[in-house]
Amino acid sequence: MTDTASYIDMLRKFGSDLGLPKLNVDELLQAQKKNIDALGESAKVAAQGAQSVAQKQREVLEAGLREAETLARQYKPLGQIHENVALQTEFARKVFEIAVEGARESASTARQSTTDAVKIIQDRVKQSLEEIRASVRPNKSA
């Protein structure tokens, strides 16, 4: 009794003698495939969220650069000091508002994509537990 089939037969007999439940291997393999698919879908959602955040950060940077360009065009080095200070103050205020709004939108996007990715995994875990329960049947041969 040294071949693999003999060991499997021994384990089956042992399980049968103990009254262990029978497992439907095909159903368990299908469940694992669904688990892997859910992980892939979750990763895809997370990656899309990261892309959205990166795009938003790019938009914020571009908006800041547009504001800097506007300030540079309006700046008159030999002009009135109070006008230049007012322009610089307005520039700083606009850039700050752009940055704050961009950070808020980026955080919201990141939070939503993370929530969506986690929900995919949570739903799959629930389904997987139900599938495992359904695939385990009491051993009636004992």
Side-chain angles (χ1 to χ4, degrees), residues 13 27 79 90:
K13 182 175 179 341
E27 287 178 12
E90 181 64 15

Side-chain angles (χ1 to χ4, degrees), residues 43-82:
K44 181 179 171 185
V45 167
Q48 288 171 342
Q51 275 185 323
S52 295
V53 169
Q55 177 62 32
K56 188 61 193 164
Q57 289 174 341
R58 178 182 177 173
E59 291 168 6
V60 167
L61 177 62
E62 288 172 350
L65 292 174
R66 281 192 301 275
E67 287 300 321
E69 181 181 4
T70 300
L71 174 68
R73 287 185 179 162
Q74 294 175 354
Y75 184 70
K76 298 174 186 118
L78 300 176
Q80 298 291 328
I81 293 176
H82 69 279

Side-chain angles (χ1 to χ4, degrees), residues 8-74:
I8 292 173
D9 289 338
M10 279 184 359
L11 290 173
R12 279 191 183 131
K13 182 175 179 341
F14 178 74
S16 177
D17 291 345
L18 289 177
L20 295 176
K22 291 184 179 180
L23 298 177
N24 184 327
V25 176
D26 291 333
E27 287 178 12
L28 288 176
L29 290 175
Q30 185 63 23
Q32 289 306 313
K33 182 187 178 309
K34 290 178 184 177
N35 291 345
I36 291 170
D37 291 345
L39 285 173
E41 183 65 24
S42 177
K44 181 179 171 185
V45 167
Q48 288 171 342
Q51 275 185 323
S52 295
V53 169
Q55 177 62 32
K56 188 61 193 164
Q57 289 174 341
R58 178 182 177 173
E59 291 168 6
V60 167
L61 177 62
E62 288 172 350
L65 292 174
R66 281 192 301 275
E67 287 300 321
E69 181 181 4
T70 300
L71 174 68
R73 287 185 179 162
Q74 294 175 354

